[in-house]
DNA sequence: TGGATTACGAAAACTGTTTTCATTTTCGGC
DNA sequence: GCCGAAAATGAAAACAGTTTTCGTAATCCA
């Protein structure tokens, strides 16, 4: 398995690069730069993991309490459209978002006990998918692979469960 | 690629087998046999593909128009709990259900143009997932793999698009 | 067959998300 | 700097799919 690059600390250079890329996107689309959007993306890109709308809004409100749900939703849609962010759905009913500046394409293993999400990437798996698509005369745009199960390390798993992990926290 | 077994016609023996299995499940759980549930499962098991609640209800109502949403939802939950049926979500916002009496475990390729869903199964892919989980000290209970893209056979794809396929129809 | 238990169906409630709409902000041209 | 068209905001309403409630009806075992 190829380990997925992980950042425990926020890489400020990367964040600024992302912010600039989003500004570009906004410009290209003829949209306007706003204080709220800046706050939202600045906050989002400094969060790790798989962030729900509510989690993001809570953080955002600490900077500017007047920002509401609608603007967060709208900004996330723009981030997805700009390809700076990907939407995930792990089956708990909420959309989660992850900036993939710091993690290239990857898939997920989700522990149903403790909520931990492990990220992985394997080139053979990707290649195999391509060859299966080929056989079927099908062209893949994107894919989604999720392995649901449980940690085998029960101590670590229980510890996480105890402190109430959610599906949000990857590593 | 290992082709997934497909039934164009309903296999009445299989359906009756499923009905019996569900009756068993109901019994074991101490629940009651009802006319409505019988109608719903009899209808469901005779449908092919990836069925939404609304599609199922429409069919069911042709047999007994008094049956409502709630009972269909409740019965589908029981079917899933009994492992006779699996719930799918292909990202169009609705849950879809498929009885896997006639199709063993399989994954999906979804054409975003025409809505066609191709089913496939590949042992190497399954094995590879297992070995990746192993490496990660993770035990897989179930998984979900979806390839989103487009048919390369554009004539066939357009034909299907023209007659308004939905994500429901797999082959 | 009585009666505790389970199921039903219509409607209300819920959840996450999107839309509406009145108001405010942005920003290119003057 | 100011104008004004265009875009964005936020509160609230609307929405879609699903779940729950609650009064009534059906099931099924002793
Ligand atoms: Mn991830
Ligand atoms: Mn299928
Ligand atoms: Zn765990
Ligand atoms: Zn197609």
């Amino acid at each position: 398995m190829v380990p997925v690059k992980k950042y425990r600390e926020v890489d400020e250079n990367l964040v600024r690069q992302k912010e600039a890329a989003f500004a570009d996107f906004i410009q290209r689309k003829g949209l306007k730069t706003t204080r709220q959007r800046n706050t939202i993306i600045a906050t989002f890109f400094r969060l790790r993991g798989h962030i729900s709308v509510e989690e993001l809004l809570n953080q955002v409100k600490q900077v500017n309490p007047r920002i509401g749900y609608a603007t967060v939703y709208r900004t996330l849609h723009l981030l997805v459209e700009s390809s700076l962010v990907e939407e995930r759905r792990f089956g708990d009913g909420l959309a989660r978002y992850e900036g993939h500046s710091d993690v290239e394409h990857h898939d997920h293993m989700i522990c149903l006990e403790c909520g931990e999400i492990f990220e992985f990437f394997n080139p053979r798996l990707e290649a195999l998918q391509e060859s299966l698509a080929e056989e079927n005369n099908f062209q893949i745009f994107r894919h989604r692979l999720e392995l649901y199960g449980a940690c085998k390390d029960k101590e670590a798993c229980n510890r996480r469960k105890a402190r109430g992990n959610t599906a949000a926290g990857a590593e």
Side-chain angles (χ1 to χ4, degrees), chain A:
Chain A
M1 170 151 52
V2 178
V4 172
K5 218 190 308 177
K6 289 270 181 58
Y7 294 83
R8 296 183 173 283
E9 305 298 327
V10 172
D11 179 333
E12 277 297 329
N13 284 333
L14 256 172
V15 170
R16 268 179 246 115
Q17 200 174 303
K18 282 234 136 188
E19 288 173 333
F22 186 68
D24 268 22
F25 170 81
I26 289 297
Q27 199 106 349
R28 278 200 309 280
K29 283 213 75 179
L31 305 181
K32 290 172 179 171
T33 303
T34 71
R35 177 174 271 297
Q36 291 92 331
R37 289 215 272 241
N38 287 342
T39 300
I40 292 166
I41 67 161
T43 304
F44 178 80
F45 286 136
R46 286 174 177 79
L47 292 172
R48 249 79 291 278
H50 305 87
I51 308 300
S52 69
V53 175
E54 195 180 4
E55 285 162 356
L56 179 54
L57 180 63
N58 287 341
Q59 293 301 312
V60 161
K61 273 189 180 300
Q62 299 193 12
V63 181
N64 177 354
R66 310 210 40 232
I67 294 178
Y69 266 104
T71 304
V72 170
Y73 272 107
R74 288 188 276 232
T75 304
L76 282 168
H77 291 332
L78 289 171
L79 283 167
V80 169
E81 194 190 338
S82 73
S83 298
L84 291 166
V85 162
E86 277 189 21
E87 183 179 305
R88 308 280 185 196
R89 286 174 181 276
F90 295 128
D92 60 354
L94 4 148
R96 296 180 176 282
Y97 297 86
E98 81 181 306
H100 48 117
S101 60
D102 50 352
V103 275
E104 298 88 14
H105 165 74
H106 59 264
D107 297 300
H108 298 91
M109 302 185 197
I110 297 113
C111 174
L112 297 172
E113 308 280 318
C114 72
E116 185 76 1
I117 298 176
F118 302 98
E119 305 185 320
F120 66 95
F121 174 79
N122 182 277
R124 282 177 53 212
L125 192 71
E126 307 280 321
L128 191 45
Q129 289 175 37
E130 280 301 335
S131 83
L132 293 174
E134 192 64 40
E135 279 182 58
N136 225 35
N137 210 22
F138 189 82
Q139 183 191 3
I140 303 175
F141 297 162
R142 60 174 203 274
H143 72 263
R144 168 225 292 257
L145 173 60
E146 289 147 21
L147 311 181
Y148 294 91
C151 305
K152 285 185 183 165
D153 181 346
K154 283 307 168 193
E155 296 97 86
C157 184
N158 284 327
R159 215 176 314 125
R160 281 189 290 263
K161 182 159 38 179
R163 66 174 144 77
N165 234 18
T166 69
E171 171 71 32

